[in-house]
Amino acid sequence: MQHHELQSEDKILFFKKDYISEFVYGGVDGAITTFAVVAGAEGASLGVAVVIILGLANLIADGFSMSVGNYFSTKVSRENFDRHKAREYWEVEHLGTTEKEEVREIYAAKGFKGPLLDQVVEVITSDKDVWVDTMMKEELEMTKDDKTPVKTASVTFISFVLVGSIPLLAYIFSGSGSGIGGSELFLYSSILTGIALTLVGALKSVVTERNMLAGIAETLLLGGLAASLAYFVGDVLEQVFL
């Protein structure tokens, strides 16, 4: 019963199913890129204030950039669908005989034959909207995404900032007089990031319908590789320029 409630109203926990993918990938990207900035700054032995400034700048700039890209990607996809659908309406209106034969060929390929095939074709082509929808799905293999560009962009940006801010929490709340060294802060940041990536990786498994442990391991591995590379680059650049 409880499981049913968690899955009701097209939601998983408090996430609307339609937008889980945007939340997941925005969160993964936010956590990994921000932690990479923290690791790079740590590798270069930069101060706490610099880590916070670089991290927050990355959050806003990269989060906005990613959400804008998501907005245009969704917008173009919807416009492309609408353009093809308008063309199908024109073809049904002006090339009805040809389009009707295409419907017949589609369902004949599915195994329909004889009077049943004639009946299926007649039912579909008797309603222009059903006819066009059939051509969109069966001929063009296109379905309309109900997600709006504004909502997908907003979810991406919010998740990027929320999850991406987690690697910075240890530095933000450290305080100038805390006496905690940079290496300790980096350790705390690593732990927090690991927890964040584990949770988002688990949620990603829901989206991709993969094994949850595999999804978590993949997310942690990617985060670790990105951080290791950033740390190494930061360390090299410090020796060269500082």
Side-chain angles (χ1 to χ4, degrees), residues 127-171:
D127 186 316
K128 189 179 294 185
D129 293 332
V130 174
W131 191 350
V132 170
D133 286 341
T134 300
M135 299 304 290
M136 291 295 293
K137 294 176 183 177
E138 301 294 344
E139 181 187 31
L140 301 180
E141 298 182 348
M142 296 179 69
T143 55
K144 188 169 186 177
D145 191 345
D146 293 329
K147 294 183 287 187
T148 66
V150 172
K151 287 184 178 180
T152 56
S154 299
V155 171
T156 298
F157 180 76
I158 291 172
S159 65
F160 190 101
V161 172
L162 283 179
V163 183
S165 64
I166 292 176
L168 295 173
L169 293 180
Y171 292 87

Side-chain angles (χ1 to χ4, degrees), residues 193-228:
T193 304
I195 294 173
L197 289 176
T198 297
L199 294 175
V200 178
L203 191 57
K204 184 180 72 171
S205 299
V206 175
V207 177
T208 59
E209 297 182 352
R210 291 183 56 192
N211 178 272
M212 186 167 292
L213 291 179
I216 293 172
E218 180 183 53
T219 306
L220 289 173
L221 178 61
L222 290 175
L225 288 174
S228 299

Side-chain angles (χ1 to χ4, degrees), residues 166-178:
I166 292 176
L168 295 173
L169 293 180
Y171 292 87
I172 293 174
F173 292 106
S174 63
S176 58
S178 64

Side-chain angles (χ1 to χ4, degrees), residues 3-4 12 16 21 32 64 84 92-93 100 104 118-120 140 143 152-155 162 168 179 203 228 230:
H3 176 75
H4 175 72
I12 295 179
K16 189 173 181 180
S21 58
I32 290 178
F64 181 76
H84 280 83
V92 164
E93 186 71 30
K100 191 170 186 177
R104 178 177 296 277
D118 294 336
Q119 183 180 5
V120 168
L140 301 180
T143 55
T152 56
S154 299
V155 171
L162 283 179
L168 295 173
L203 191 57
S228 299

